[in-house]
Amino acid sequence: MKKVGIIMSVLMGVTMSFCLSLTNSIVSADKFDMTQFLISFGASAVLSLIIGLIVPMKKVEDGACKAMKLRENSVPAKLVSAFISDIIYTPILTLSMIIIVRKMVMKMSHGHAVLPSFATMFIKSFILSLAVAYIIILIVTPIFLKLSLKLAGVNPAGGPPADKK
């Protein structure tokens, strides 16, 4: 199951990073800047992979659901799990993207860009990112779980591994 967790962390981290970087790149600028997107995506992907490998997301999510007396795999449990994941990943990824964007804009303008305050940029981006990430997590988690189980050779029905029938 550890292999499943690692595969899930990689898939979720890369997907979250891609979608949040894309969303923030589109919303934050007058026009889409591929360089800004790629740098933001790269940095947030590395951060999300680190978070995914350090934080035992399944244990944290299951613990929260158990504390709330939610039945495993129920809709309320899935909503809470998505929220937990969102709250852990999104602030860190949003903060990193805002820092990168501010530095890039200032560098490209030779320090002459007029930007909103850091707090204004962060809060606006954070609220948008929370909503986008929550929806993405709800959509892709079941898909990625099935894929992770298959890639790890685990039969989701509880029988022998998929490749050893």
Side-chain angles (χ1 to χ4, degrees):
M1 288 310 284
K2 186 172 182 130
K3 189 175 179 181
V4 172
I6 291 170
I7 294 168
M8 277 294 291
S9 292
V10 171
L11 292 173
M12 290 298 292
V14 170
T15 301
M16 290 273 292
S17 296
F18 178 82
C19 292
L20 293 181
S21 296
L22 184 61
T23 300
N24 285 309
S25 291
I26 290 170
V27 171
S28 70
D30 294 333
K31 64 179 182 136
F32 181 78
D33 182 342
M34 183 58 87
T35 304
Q36 175 185 329
F37 164 73
L38 290 173
I39 292 171
S40 180
F41 171 59
S44 63
V46 169
L47 281 172
S48 65
L49 292 173
I50 292 169
I51 294 167
L53 295 174
I54 292 174
V55 178
M57 291 303 297
K58 179 83 171 119
K59 286 182 183 179
V60 173
E61 291 169 2
D62 288 351
C65 290
K66 186 176 180 180
M68 298 174 79
K69 297 179 179 23
L70 299 175
R71 191 170 41 93
E72 190 176 341
N73 292 324
S74 65
V75 171
K78 289 178 182 182
L79 294 172
V80 167
S81 291
F83 181 72
I84 299 289
S85 190
D86 196 10
I87 289 299
I88 291 173
Y89 279 91
T90 304
I92 297 167
L93 298 182
T94 303
L95 181 64
S96 70
M97 286 185 272
I98 294 299
I99 290 169
I100 290 167
V101 167
R102 288 182 70 89
K103 285 187 178 194
M104 286 181 65
V105 168
M106 291 308 282
K107 186 175 182 178
M108 290 168 50
S109 71
H110 304 290
H112 297 296
V114 178
L115 297 172
S117 70
F118 184 86
T120 302
M121 285 181 75
F122 178 75
I123 291 169
K124 179 182 169 190
S125 182
F126 182 61
I127 292 168
L128 176 64
S129 294
L130 272 176
V132 169
Y134 189 72
I135 292 165
I136 291 165
I137 292 166
L138 284 173
I139 292 169
V140 302
T141 298
I143 297 165
F144 287 170
L145 181 57
K146 286 179 185 174
L147 180 60
S148 297
L149 289 168
K150 184 176 180 178
L151 291 172
V154 176
N155 185 346
D163 60 348
K164 297 190 177 157
K165 288 191 176 190

